Amino acid sequence: PEYWIDADCFWPERFHGSSVDFKGTNFEFIPFGGGRRMCPGMSFALAIVELVLSQLLFHFNWKLPNDIKLEELDMSESLGFTYRRRNDLFVIATPWASF
């Protein structure tokens, strides 16, 4: 109750939009395995996510939709705790043909 409203309920949406880092020592995540007793497989899971992303980038050709040129791409950023793109990036993936 010190950290949450309705602390006895399972309500993971309470972290949506939060700036709390799940790998740190934030006590809000203790019911989900944060702090000293965090999930031992978390570092493995983060490595797998990077591996899957690299495989997607390697095995597909990527292009912008509607014949948009790279010069026309809006790369503006929005300020916050971290920098992120102001607008979503939409791309078309086509399988890379290997011979």
Side-chain angles (χ1 to χ4, degrees):
E2 183 179 330
Y3 293 105
W4 298 337
I5 298 170
D6 204 13
D8 294 334
C9 294
F10 179 74
W11 186 45
E13 292 84 17
R14 71 180 83 217
F15 300 110
H16 189 70
S18 174
S19 63
V20 176
D21 184 17
F22 69 93
K23 296 184 289 186
T25 57
N26 300 96
F27 298 111
E28 293 92 341
F29 283 122
I30 287 182
F32 301 104
R36 288 187 311 164
R37 297 182 182 187
M38 73 173 47
C39 176
M42 185 177 352
S43 59
F44 177 69
L46 290 173
I48 292 297
V49 167
E50 291 174 2
L51 177 66
V52 168
L53 180 61
S54 66
Q55 293 294 312
L56 282 172
L57 291 174
F58 181 76
H59 288 287
F60 287 91
N61 289 326
W62 301 90
K63 69 177 188 173
L64 295 170
N66 302 326
D67 295 327
I68 298 174
K69 294 182 173 44
L70 287 176
E71 297 82 25
E72 299 172 2
L73 190 61
D74 181 19
M75 294 297 292
S76 59
E77 300 168 335
S78 63
L79 298 175
F81 186 68
T82 61
Y83 284 107
R84 60 174 295 185
R85 291 180 50 87
R86 185 171 306 225
N87 302 312
D88 293 334
L89 176 64
F90 295 101
V91 293
I92 298 172
T94 55
W96 184 70
S98 60
F99 295 99

XYZ file of all heavy atoms in Angstrom:
819
model
N 0.805 -1.211 0.000
C 0.000 0.000 0.000
C 0.848 1.274 0.000
O 0.377 2.320 -0.395
C -0.837 -0.107 1.263
C -0.689 -1.500 1.765
C 0.528 -2.067 1.132
N 2.092 1.160 0.454
C 2.973 2.327 0.477
C 3.306 2.803 -0.937
O 3.478 3.992 -1.178
C 4.258 1.978 1.224
C 5.227 3.117 1.371
C 6.455 2.682 2.146
O 6.350 1.785 3.002
O 7.513 3.238 1.875
N 3.390 1.865 -1.888
C 3.765 2.207 -3.251
C 2.585 2.241 -4.213
O 2.622 2.942 -5.206
C 4.794 1.202 -3.800
C 6.117 1.273 -3.100
C 6.481 0.297 -2.188
C 6.995 2.314 -3.348
C 7.700 0.354 -1.543
C 8.217 2.384 -2.708
C 8.571 1.399 -1.807
O 9.764 1.462 -1.169
N 1.565 1.412 -3.978
C 0.498 1.230 -4.952
C -0.873 1.500 -4.363
O -1.115 1.272 -3.181
C 0.454 -0.196 -5.465
C 1.652 -0.668 -6.173
C 2.608 0.074 -6.797
C 2.042 -2.018 -6.347
N 3.543 -0.723 -7.345
C 3.233 -2.025 -7.082
C 1.501 -3.229 -5.952
C 3.880 -3.185 -7.444
C 2.145 -4.387 -6.309
C 3.321 -4.362 -7.052
N -1.782 1.884 -5.240
C -3.199 1.913 -4.904
C -3.726 0.515 -5.165
O -3.386 -0.108 -6.178
C -3.945 2.939 -5.774
C -3.394 4.337 -5.505
C -5.439 2.878 -5.541
C -3.885 5.375 -6.475
N -4.525 -0.026 -4.285
C -5.087 -1.374 -4.432
C -3.971 -2.406 -4.600
O -3.889 -3.148 -5.573
C -6.049 -1.407 -5.616
C -7.064 -2.517 -5.491
O -7.170 -3.090 -4.394
O -7.739 -2.802 -6.487
N -3.057 -2.440 -3.632
C -1.837 -3.244 -3.709
C -2.083 -4.743 -3.709
O -1.234 -5.505 -4.176
C -0.921 -2.898 -2.546
N -3.225 -5.221 -3.230
C -3.487 -6.657 -3.170
C -3.952 -7.235 -4.500
O -4.061 -8.446 -4.623
C -4.544 -6.957 -2.109
C -4.028 -6.647 -0.712
O -2.798 -6.699 -0.519
O -4.855 -6.366 0.169
N -4.211 -6.411 -5.479
C -4.712 -6.886 -6.777
C -3.583 -6.985 -7.785
O -2.677 -6.154 -7.811
C -5.780 -5.937 -7.313
S -7.259 -5.932 -6.318
N -3.666 -8.016 -8.613
C -2.735 -8.155 -9.727
C -3.197 -7.221 -10.833
O -4.204 -7.428 -11.479
C -2.717 -9.607 -10.222
C -1.803 -9.812 -11.388
C -0.423 -9.829 -11.213
C -2.309 -9.993 -12.659
C 0.423 -10.013 -12.280
C -1.467 -10.182 -13.741
C -0.101 -10.188 -13.543
N -2.443 -6.156 -11.043
C -2.811 -5.132 -11.997
C -1.535 -4.619 -12.674
O -1.013 -3.559 -12.348
C -3.541 -4.013 -11.271
C -4.104 -2.952 -12.130
C -4.803 -3.098 -13.283
C -4.004 -1.554 -11.904
N -5.150 -1.886 -13.782
C -4.669 -0.916 -12.950
C -3.434 -0.778 -10.922
C -4.764 0.455 -13.050
C -3.537 0.582 -11.016
C -4.196 1.189 -12.067
N -0.965 -5.385 -13.637
C 0.308 -4.991 -14.261
C 0.213 -3.717 -15.081
O 1.234 -3.110 -15.384
C 0.670 -6.192 -15.135
C -0.560 -6.980 -15.279
C -1.442 -6.664 -14.119
N -0.995 -3.279 -15.441
C -1.138 -2.048 -16.204
C -0.677 -0.825 -15.425
O -0.460 0.231 -15.999
C -2.597 -1.851 -16.647
C -3.065 -2.861 -17.661
C -3.536 -4.161 -17.015
O -3.802 -4.171 -15.789
O -3.631 -5.162 -17.730
N -0.504 -0.964 -14.118
C -0.072 0.176 -13.319
C 1.325 0.641 -13.714
O 1.704 1.756 -13.417
C -0.125 -0.153 -11.831
C 0.921 -1.124 -11.378
C 0.837 -1.428 -9.894
N -0.170 -2.459 -9.678
C -0.981 -2.479 -8.630
N -0.906 -1.567 -7.707
N -1.867 -3.431 -8.501
N 2.102 -0.206 -14.393
C 3.448 0.171 -14.814
C 3.486 0.755 -16.219
O 4.529 1.212 -16.662
C 4.377 -1.039 -14.762
C 4.482 -1.619 -13.385
C 3.925 -2.847 -13.102
C 5.121 -0.927 -12.377
C 4.015 -3.377 -11.838
C 5.211 -1.457 -11.109
C 4.660 -2.679 -10.839
N 2.376 0.723 -16.929
C 2.344 1.243 -18.298
C 2.600 2.746 -18.282
O 1.933 3.489 -17.587
C 0.991 0.935 -18.945
C 0.951 1.239 -20.397
N 1.656 0.496 -21.312
C 0.315 2.203 -21.092
C 1.448 0.988 -22.514
N 0.634 2.030 -22.398
N 3.602 3.166 -19.041
C 3.964 4.576 -19.078
C 4.845 5.018 -17.928
O 5.128 6.198 -17.779
N 5.306 4.090 -17.108
C 6.151 4.424 -15.968
C 7.609 4.527 -16.402
O 8.050 3.847 -17.328
C 6.006 3.339 -14.901
O 6.910 3.562 -13.852
N 8.378 5.363 -15.754
C 9.795 5.506 -16.072
C 10.663 4.589 -15.209
O 11.878 4.703 -15.232
C 10.225 6.959 -15.881
O 10.077 7.313 -14.521
N 10.066 3.671 -14.480
C 10.792 2.764 -13.610
C 11.495 1.707 -14.452
O 10.907 1.119 -15.349
C 9.830 2.101 -12.601
C 10.548 1.087 -11.758
C 9.178 3.145 -11.735
N 12.784 1.485 -14.186
C 13.562 0.490 -14.910
C 13.355 -0.874 -14.265
O 13.564 -1.038 -13.074
C 15.038 0.873 -14.884
C 15.902 -0.056 -15.702
O 15.359 -0.802 -16.539
O 17.130 -0.041 -15.506
N 12.964 -1.869 -15.053
C 12.670 -3.188 -14.491
C 13.918 -3.922 -14.041
O 13.832 -4.922 -13.361
C 11.885 -4.041 -15.493
C 12.674 -4.458 -16.701
C 13.334 -5.667 -16.734
C 12.745 -3.643 -17.813
C 14.046 -6.058 -17.837
C 13.450 -4.018 -18.919
C 14.115 -5.224 -18.936
N 15.114 -3.481 -14.405
C 16.344 -4.156 -14.010
C 16.979 -3.548 -12.769
O 17.991 -4.027 -12.298
C 17.364 -4.108 -15.144
C 16.923 -4.843 -16.379
C 18.001 -4.838 -17.424
C 18.136 -3.459 -18.005
N 19.066 -3.387 -19.123
N 16.413 -2.488 -12.244
C 17.029 -1.769 -11.145
C 16.585 -2.247 -9.786
O 16.138 -3.383 -9.602
N 16.688 -1.366 -8.848
C 16.326 -1.689 -7.466
C 15.028 -1.002 -7.083
O 14.843 -0.621 -5.933
C 17.446 -1.237 -6.516
O 17.653 0.165 -6.706
C 18.721 -1.994 -6.760
N 14.121 -0.857 -8.034
C 12.830 -0.246 -7.752
C 11.934 -1.274 -7.082
O 11.649 -2.325 -7.634
C 12.194 0.263 -9.040
C 13.064 1.301 -9.705
O 13.821 0.964 -10.601
N 12.990 2.524 -9.255
N 11.464 -0.956 -5.888
C 10.723 -1.917 -5.095
C 9.304 -2.147 -5.595
O 8.623 -3.030 -5.114
C 10.716 -1.479 -3.642
C 12.099 -1.428 -3.061
C 12.670 -0.220 -2.728
C 12.822 -2.590 -2.891
C 13.947 -0.178 -2.213
C 14.103 -2.560 -2.377
C 14.669 -1.343 -2.035
N 8.868 -1.373 -6.584
C 7.544 -1.600 -7.155
C 7.464 -2.935 -7.888
O 6.394 -3.482 -8.089
C 7.190 -0.485 -8.140
C 6.995 0.865 -7.501
C 8.284 1.683 -7.469
O 9.379 1.120 -7.594
O 8.182 2.888 -7.300
N 8.613 -3.482 -8.309
C 8.620 -4.708 -9.101
C 8.872 -5.971 -8.285
O 8.998 -7.049 -8.853
C 9.685 -4.622 -10.195
C 9.269 -3.768 -11.342
C 10.022 -2.683 -11.714
C 8.129 -4.057 -12.058
C 9.645 -1.896 -12.772
C 7.738 -3.278 -13.117
C 8.500 -2.193 -13.477
N 8.974 -5.896 -7.003
C 9.290 -7.085 -6.203
C 8.281 -8.216 -6.411
O 8.685 -9.365 -6.529
C 9.471 -6.713 -4.722
C 10.803 -5.991 -4.585
C 9.400 -7.926 -3.819
C 11.178 -5.590 -3.205
N 6.967 -7.962 -6.541
C 6.063 -9.082 -6.813
C 6.309 -9.748 -8.157
O 5.931 -10.883 -8.376
C 4.670 -8.448 -6.792
C 4.825 -7.184 -6.067
C 6.224 -6.727 -6.305
N 6.967 -9.056 -9.086
C 7.224 -9.621 -10.402
C 8.654 -10.111 -10.541
O 9.116 -10.398 -11.636
C 6.928 -8.578 -11.487
C 5.514 -8.088 -11.444
C 5.214 -6.848 -10.929
C 4.480 -8.886 -11.907
C 3.910 -6.398 -10.875
C 3.177 -8.441 -11.853
C 2.889 -7.195 -11.342
N 9.390 -10.193 -9.458
C 10.743 -10.723 -9.510
C 11.800 -9.660 -9.697
O 12.834 -9.916 -10.282
N 11.577 -8.451 -9.205
C 12.574 -7.398 -9.308
C 13.481 -7.396 -8.097
O 13.331 -8.168 -7.165
N 14.462 -6.518 -8.124
C 15.376 -6.404 -6.993
C 16.370 -7.546 -6.966
O 16.786 -8.075 -7.991
N 16.766 -7.969 -5.764
C 17.760 -9.038 -5.631
C 17.243 -10.377 -6.139
O 18.018 -11.225 -6.531
C 18.170 -9.207 -4.168
C 19.024 -8.106 -3.655
C 19.508 -8.422 -2.279
N 18.390 -8.857 -1.431
C 18.530 -9.477 -0.276
N 19.730 -9.732 0.177
N 17.494 -9.826 0.430
N 15.945 -10.574 -6.098
C 15.375 -11.870 -6.482
C 14.757 -11.823 -7.874
O 13.785 -12.509 -8.145
C 14.327 -12.283 -5.461
C 14.939 -12.480 -4.113
C 13.919 -12.923 -3.133
N 14.540 -13.053 -1.828
C 13.945 -13.544 -0.780
N 12.697 -13.933 -0.869
N 14.572 -13.629 0.355
N 15.344 -11.022 -8.753
C 14.792 -10.925 -10.093
C 15.009 -12.233 -10.854
O 15.780 -13.090 -10.434
C 15.399 -9.746 -10.840
C 16.827 -9.932 -11.274
S 17.470 -8.626 -12.314
C 16.991 -7.183 -11.508
N 14.324 -12.373 -11.932
C 14.361 -13.585 -12.737
C 15.781 -13.869 -13.205
O 16.418 -13.008 -13.827
C 13.437 -13.426 -13.933
S 13.467 -14.807 -15.076
N 16.316 -15.056 -12.955
C 17.679 -15.362 -13.406
C 17.776 -15.498 -14.926
O 18.861 -15.435 -15.481
C 18.007 -16.683 -12.709
C 16.691 -17.285 -12.399
C 15.732 -16.151 -12.191
N 16.665 -15.661 -15.607
C 16.688 -15.793 -17.055
C 16.534 -14.476 -17.795
O 16.481 -14.466 -19.025
N 16.497 -13.342 -17.067
C 16.265 -12.068 -17.735
C 17.404 -11.708 -18.685
O 17.162 -11.243 -19.795
C 16.076 -10.943 -16.729
C 15.712 -9.650 -17.413
S 15.374 -8.214 -16.393
C 15.349 -8.762 -14.761
N 18.637 -11.929 -18.305
C 19.752 -11.594 -19.199
C 19.731 -12.488 -20.436
O 20.047 -12.038 -21.538
C 21.089 -11.712 -18.470
O 21.264 -13.031 -17.988
N 19.337 -13.749 -20.277
C 19.192 -14.640 -21.430
C 18.072 -14.150 -22.348
O 18.226 -14.127 -23.570
C 18.900 -16.061 -20.950
C 18.659 -17.030 -22.063
C 19.688 -17.416 -22.908
C 17.399 -17.557 -22.276
C 19.467 -18.301 -23.939
C 17.163 -18.440 -23.295
C 18.200 -18.820 -24.129
N 16.959 -13.723 -21.778
C 15.836 -13.248 -22.585
C 16.205 -11.993 -23.354
O 15.837 -11.851 -24.528
C 14.629 -12.988 -21.690
N 16.936 -11.077 -22.735
C 17.352 -9.864 -23.437
C 18.302 -10.202 -24.582
O 18.230 -9.591 -25.655
C 18.005 -8.887 -22.465
C 17.061 -8.235 -21.467
C 17.840 -7.415 -20.455
C 16.024 -7.396 -22.163
N 19.178 -11.182 -24.393
C 20.079 -11.606 -25.474
C 19.296 -12.241 -26.615
O 19.608 -12.022 -27.792
C 21.119 -12.579 -24.934
N 18.257 -13.003 -26.306
C 17.431 -13.631 -27.339
C 16.687 -12.576 -28.147
O 16.570 -12.689 -29.372
C 16.461 -14.650 -26.713
C 17.229 -15.838 -26.167
C 15.414 -15.106 -27.693
C 17.975 -16.643 -27.209
N 16.194 -11.543 -27.495
C 15.504 -10.462 -28.212
C 16.459 -9.811 -29.204
O 16.101 -9.550 -30.359
C 14.921 -9.431 -27.225
C 14.497 -8.164 -27.938
C 13.761 -10.030 -26.475
N 17.697 -9.556 -28.792
C 18.681 -8.974 -29.704
C 18.992 -9.918 -30.849
O 19.151 -9.481 -32.001
C 19.956 -8.638 -28.947
C 19.789 -7.502 -27.970
C 21.024 -7.263 -27.127
O 22.042 -7.970 -27.330
O 20.986 -6.374 -26.273
N 19.073 -11.214 -30.577
C 19.340 -12.198 -31.624
C 18.202 -12.242 -32.643
O 18.433 -12.245 -33.859
C 19.550 -13.583 -31.012
C 19.768 -14.727 -32.000
C 21.077 -14.532 -32.744
C 19.753 -16.052 -31.281
N 16.973 -12.254 -32.176
C 15.817 -12.289 -33.077
C 15.775 -11.032 -33.935
O 15.544 -11.104 -35.146
C 14.509 -12.459 -32.268
C 13.295 -12.216 -33.128
C 14.456 -13.842 -31.650
N 16.025 -9.877 -33.343
C 16.034 -8.636 -34.103
C 17.126 -8.645 -35.167
O 16.894 -8.251 -36.316
C 16.211 -7.446 -33.167
C 16.247 -6.082 -33.822
C 14.943 -5.803 -34.564
C 16.520 -5.011 -32.801
N 18.312 -9.122 -34.820
C 19.394 -9.167 -35.807
C 19.066 -10.143 -36.939
O 19.384 -9.876 -38.100
C 20.718 -9.541 -35.139
O 20.671 -10.869 -34.654
N 18.408 -11.250 -36.642
C 18.018 -12.194 -37.687
C 16.959 -11.594 -38.609
O 16.991 -11.810 -39.824
C 17.495 -13.492 -37.063
C 18.557 -14.282 -36.328
C 19.607 -14.797 -37.283
O 19.306 -15.367 -38.316
N 20.870 -14.580 -36.931
N 16.024 -10.845 -38.051
C 15.025 -10.174 -38.886
C 15.679 -9.155 -39.809
O 15.331 -9.055 -40.992
C 13.986 -9.475 -38.012
C 12.909 -10.351 -37.401
C 12.085 -9.539 -36.415
C 12.019 -10.933 -38.479
N 16.619 -8.396 -39.282
C 17.298 -7.402 -40.109
C 18.134 -8.067 -41.196
O 18.231 -7.559 -42.309
C 18.177 -6.502 -39.240
C 17.434 -5.559 -38.304
C 18.406 -4.839 -37.394
C 16.597 -4.582 -39.085
N 18.742 -9.208 -40.909
C 19.618 -9.873 -41.859
C 18.845 -10.583 -42.973
O 19.254 -10.563 -44.127
C 20.511 -10.872 -41.121
C 21.463 -11.588 -42.037
C 22.594 -10.947 -42.511
C 21.225 -12.895 -42.419
C 23.469 -11.603 -43.354
C 22.090 -13.561 -43.264
C 23.227 -12.912 -43.726
N 17.738 -11.226 -42.647
C 17.048 -12.092 -43.606
C 15.965 -11.405 -44.431
O 15.288 -12.062 -45.208
C 16.444 -13.302 -42.887
C 17.493 -14.282 -42.446
N 18.153 -15.087 -43.325
C 17.990 -14.552 -41.221
C 19.023 -15.835 -42.662
N 18.942 -15.527 -41.384
N 15.786 -10.099 -44.256
C 14.783 -9.382 -45.026
C 15.388 -8.137 -45.644
O 16.313 -7.538 -45.091
C 13.591 -8.975 -44.133
C 12.717 -10.122 -43.744
C 12.955 -10.828 -42.580
C 11.658 -10.503 -44.540
C 12.156 -11.883 -42.206
C 10.841 -11.561 -44.181
C 11.094 -12.256 -43.014
N 14.870 -7.759 -46.795
C 15.165 -6.451 -47.374
C 14.094 -5.497 -46.877
O 12.917 -5.844 -46.858
C 15.149 -6.508 -48.897
C 16.338 -7.263 -49.443
O 17.424 -7.220 -48.879
N 16.133 -7.958 -50.544
N 14.496 -4.303 -46.504
C 13.578 -3.346 -45.909
C 13.464 -2.131 -46.816
O 14.463 -1.629 -47.314
C 14.079 -2.918 -44.532
C 14.209 -4.076 -43.611
C 15.305 -4.859 -43.422
C 13.199 -4.608 -42.772
N 15.035 -5.836 -42.509
C 13.742 -5.707 -42.093
C 11.884 -4.263 -42.520
C 13.026 -6.453 -41.192
C 11.169 -5.008 -41.612
C 11.735 -6.094 -40.954
N 12.248 -1.665 -47.059
C 12.053 -0.445 -47.846
C 10.905 0.360 -47.260
O 10.064 -0.169 -46.528
C 11.813 -0.767 -49.317
C 10.501 -1.442 -49.607
C 10.338 -1.640 -51.104
C 8.928 -2.142 -51.389
N 8.640 -2.205 -52.793
N 10.899 1.620 -47.611
C 9.846 2.518 -47.134
C 8.605 2.368 -48.006
O 8.717 2.145 -49.208
C 10.345 3.962 -47.168
C 11.500 4.263 -46.220
C 12.057 5.635 -46.505
C 11.054 4.143 -44.788
N 7.425 2.490 -47.432
C 6.194 2.345 -48.220
C 5.923 3.568 -49.098
O 6.460 4.649 -48.862
C 5.109 2.181 -47.161
C 5.656 2.883 -45.971
C 7.142 2.700 -46.031
N 5.087 3.381 -50.106
C 4.607 4.456 -50.982
C 5.729 5.219 -51.660
O 5.636 6.427 -51.879
C 3.708 5.426 -50.219
C 2.524 4.734 -49.599
O 1.988 3.771 -50.155
N 2.126 5.192 -48.426
N 6.814 4.546 -51.974
C 7.959 5.146 -52.681
C 8.484 6.410 -52.005
O 8.881 7.376 -52.655
C 7.589 5.446 -54.134
C 7.301 4.164 -54.903
O 7.947 3.145 -54.593
O 6.429 4.189 -55.784
N 8.507 6.418 -50.686
C 9.070 7.545 -49.939
C 10.590 7.464 -50.053
O 11.179 6.401 -49.885
C 8.637 7.498 -48.461
C 7.131 7.614 -48.341
C 9.329 8.587 -47.654
C 6.619 7.433 -46.930
N 11.218 8.577 -50.324
C 12.674 8.625 -50.412
C 13.260 8.818 -49.011
O 12.619 9.354 -48.120
C 13.092 9.769 -51.326
C 12.691 9.570 -52.776
C 13.198 10.723 -53.591
C 13.019 10.561 -55.056
N 11.822 10.073 -55.582
N 14.497 8.385 -48.839
C 15.146 8.520 -47.541
C 15.246 9.976 -47.106
O 15.179 10.280 -45.921
C 16.542 7.891 -47.590
C 16.592 6.370 -47.626
C 18.024 5.896 -47.761
C 15.954 5.782 -46.393
N 15.416 10.881 -48.064
C 15.528 12.296 -47.732
C 14.224 12.851 -47.158
O 14.217 13.846 -46.440
C 15.913 13.106 -48.973
C 17.269 12.743 -49.538
C 17.234 11.501 -50.428
O 16.171 11.186 -50.993
O 18.279 10.840 -50.523
N 13.096 12.223 -47.483
C 11.798 12.686 -47.009
C 11.409 12.110 -45.649
O 10.398 12.494 -45.074
C 10.715 12.311 -48.025
C 10.917 12.917 -49.390
C 9.948 12.362 -50.410
O 9.089 11.534 -50.028
O 10.056 12.736 -51.577
N 12.207 11.201 -45.142
C 11.902 10.523 -43.879
C 12.063 11.496 -42.713
O 13.092 12.152 -42.560
C 12.822 9.324 -43.699
C 12.509 8.375 -42.574
C 11.132 7.765 -42.755
C 13.551 7.295 -42.493
N 11.039 11.599 -41.890
C 11.059 12.485 -40.729
C 11.786 11.788 -39.580
O 11.298 10.804 -39.037
C 9.634 12.845 -40.322
C 9.582 13.786 -39.140
O 10.616 14.436 -38.855
O 8.522 13.889 -38.515
N 12.956 12.289 -39.216
C 13.758 11.681 -38.150
C 13.737 12.530 -36.885
O 14.640 12.436 -36.062
C 15.203 11.501 -38.624
C 15.350 10.496 -39.752
S 14.852 8.840 -39.265
C 16.122 8.432 -38.107
N 12.699 13.350 -36.713
C 12.627 14.185 -35.520
C 12.388 13.317 -34.285
O 11.831 12.225 -34.365
C 11.531 15.237 -35.674
O 10.294 14.612 -35.887
N 12.846 13.826 -33.158
C 12.780 13.074 -31.900
C 11.879 13.799 -30.915
O 11.692 14.999 -30.991
C 14.184 12.944 -31.305
C 15.156 12.229 -32.204
C 16.582 12.367 -31.712
O 16.874 13.344 -30.997
O 17.397 11.510 -32.055
N 11.344 13.041 -29.980
C 10.577 13.646 -28.898
C 11.391 13.516 -27.616
O 12.066 12.516 -27.392
C 9.216 12.974 -28.750
O 9.372 11.626 -28.394
N 11.340 14.530 -26.805
C 12.113 14.549 -25.570
C 11.347 13.833 -24.469
O 10.131 13.820 -24.439
C 12.408 15.984 -25.156
C 13.253 16.796 -26.131
C 13.352 18.227 -25.646
C 14.621 16.178 -26.272
N 12.090 13.256 -23.585
C 11.521 12.561 -22.447
C 12.653 11.970 -21.631
O 13.785 12.454 -21.679
N 12.375 10.914 -20.922
C 13.421 10.236 -20.158
C 14.468 9.667 -21.105
O 15.654 9.663 -20.826
C 12.802 9.135 -19.296
C 13.774 8.482 -18.362
C 14.310 9.194 -17.301
C 14.169 7.180 -18.551
C 15.210 8.601 -16.445
C 15.071 6.581 -17.709
C 15.594 7.300 -16.644
N 14.007 9.187 -22.262
C 14.886 8.749 -23.341
C 14.424 9.417 -24.622
O 13.302 9.895 -24.723
C 14.844 7.212 -23.527
O 13.508 6.841 -23.850
C 15.296 6.489 -22.282
N 15.288 9.439 -25.615
C 14.894 9.956 -26.916
C 14.203 8.854 -27.692
O 14.623 7.704 -27.662
C 16.120 10.419 -27.718
C 16.672 11.731 -27.264
C 17.857 11.804 -26.557
C 16.006 12.909 -27.553
C 18.373 13.011 -26.141
C 16.508 14.129 -27.149
C 17.690 14.169 -26.448
O 18.186 15.371 -26.044
N 13.152 9.201 -28.393
C 12.473 8.258 -29.268
C 11.954 9.018 -30.472
O 11.881 10.243 -30.455
C 11.356 7.519 -28.554
C 10.273 8.413 -28.003
C 9.150 7.621 -27.454
N 8.532 6.918 -28.560
C 7.451 6.199 -28.479
N 6.859 6.069 -27.336
N 6.953 5.598 -29.514
N 11.610 8.266 -31.494
C 11.088 8.902 -32.708
C 9.762 9.575 -32.405
O 8.943 9.034 -31.678
C 10.882 7.854 -33.804
C 12.151 7.273 -34.351
C 11.840 6.243 -35.424
N 10.914 6.726 -36.418
C 11.270 7.396 -37.504
N 12.525 7.654 -37.719
N 10.361 7.797 -38.366
N 9.571 10.754 -32.981
C 8.307 11.461 -32.796
C 7.179 10.737 -33.520
O 6.065 10.639 -33.025
C 8.421 12.884 -33.310
C 7.212 13.730 -33.050
C 7.498 15.144 -33.397
N 8.707 15.542 -32.671
C 8.857 16.656 -32.017
N 7.907 17.526 -32.021
N 9.966 16.933 -31.385
N 7.463 10.193 -34.705
C 6.468 9.473 -35.503
C 6.918 8.024 -35.668
O 8.113 7.740 -35.721
C 6.311 10.120 -36.881
C 5.903 11.563 -36.775
O 4.982 11.887 -36.039
N 6.593 12.439 -37.477
N 5.957 7.136 -35.779
C 6.283 5.729 -35.979
C 6.933 5.518 -37.337
O 6.667 6.247 -38.297
C 5.021 4.873 -35.894
C 4.437 4.857 -34.495
O 5.200 5.058 -33.537
O 3.224 4.643 -34.369
N 7.798 4.512 -37.412
C 8.463 4.162 -38.662
C 7.748 2.955 -39.257
O 7.639 1.913 -38.615
C 9.937 3.825 -38.415
C 10.726 3.348 -39.617
C 10.817 4.464 -40.662
C 12.108 2.906 -39.194
N 7.253 3.099 -40.475
C 6.601 2.006 -41.177
C 7.508 1.566 -42.313
O 7.955 2.396 -43.111
C 5.241 2.438 -41.730
C 4.262 2.774 -40.654
C 4.004 4.091 -40.309
C 3.614 1.768 -39.955
C 3.115 4.404 -39.307
C 2.727 2.071 -38.943
C 2.472 3.391 -38.627
N 7.799 0.269 -42.386
C 8.641 -0.278 -43.443
C 7.996 -1.538 -44.008
O 7.132 -2.146 -43.372
C 10.059 -0.602 -42.933
C 10.815 0.646 -42.569
C 10.029 -1.545 -41.757
N 8.433 -1.912 -45.187
C 7.946 -3.132 -45.838
C 9.097 -4.119 -45.873
O 10.191 -3.802 -46.348
C 7.440 -2.826 -47.262
C 6.265 -1.864 -47.188
C 7.068 -4.117 -47.974
C 5.815 -1.353 -48.531
N 8.854 -5.312 -45.378
C 9.871 -6.362 -45.359
C 9.599 -7.359 -46.475
O 8.489 -7.856 -46.604
C 9.860 -7.080 -44.008
N 10.610 -7.622 -47.272
C 10.523 -8.662 -48.292
C 11.638 -9.660 -48.044
O 12.755 -9.268 -47.706
C 10.653 -8.072 -49.710
O 11.859 -7.326 -49.798
C 9.474 -7.175 -50.044
N 11.349 -10.960 -48.157
C 12.379 -11.960 -47.892
C 13.593 -11.777 -48.799
O 13.467 -11.479 -49.976
C 11.687 -13.290 -48.176
C 10.240 -12.994 -48.079
C 10.071 -11.571 -48.509
N 14.742 -11.937 -48.220
C 15.988 -11.827 -48.951
C 16.223 -13.124 -49.699
O 16.195 -14.206 -49.096
C 17.131 -11.552 -47.975
C 18.443 -11.325 -48.610
C 18.806 -10.248 -49.346
C 19.582 -12.177 -48.542
N 20.100 -10.366 -49.753
C 20.609 -11.561 -49.275
C 19.848 -13.403 -47.956
C 21.867 -12.113 -49.426
C 21.086 -13.953 -48.103
C 22.077 -13.317 -48.843
N 16.418 -13.059 -50.993
C 16.592 -14.264 -51.810
C 18.067 -14.646 -51.789
O 18.928 -13.884 -52.197
C 16.151 -14.021 -53.230
N 18.354 -15.844 -51.304
C 19.758 -16.336 -51.316
C 19.889 -17.401 -52.385
O 19.030 -18.255 -52.565
C 20.108 -16.900 -49.948
O 19.267 -17.960 -49.626
N 20.960 -17.329 -53.115
C 21.200 -18.299 -54.198
C 22.395 -19.139 -53.907
O 23.358 -18.761 -53.381
C 21.381 -17.573 -55.533
C 20.140 -16.857 -55.974
C 19.983 -15.499 -55.765
C 19.115 -17.551 -56.573
C 18.856 -14.843 -56.171
C 17.976 -16.897 -56.982
C 17.843 -15.544 -56.784
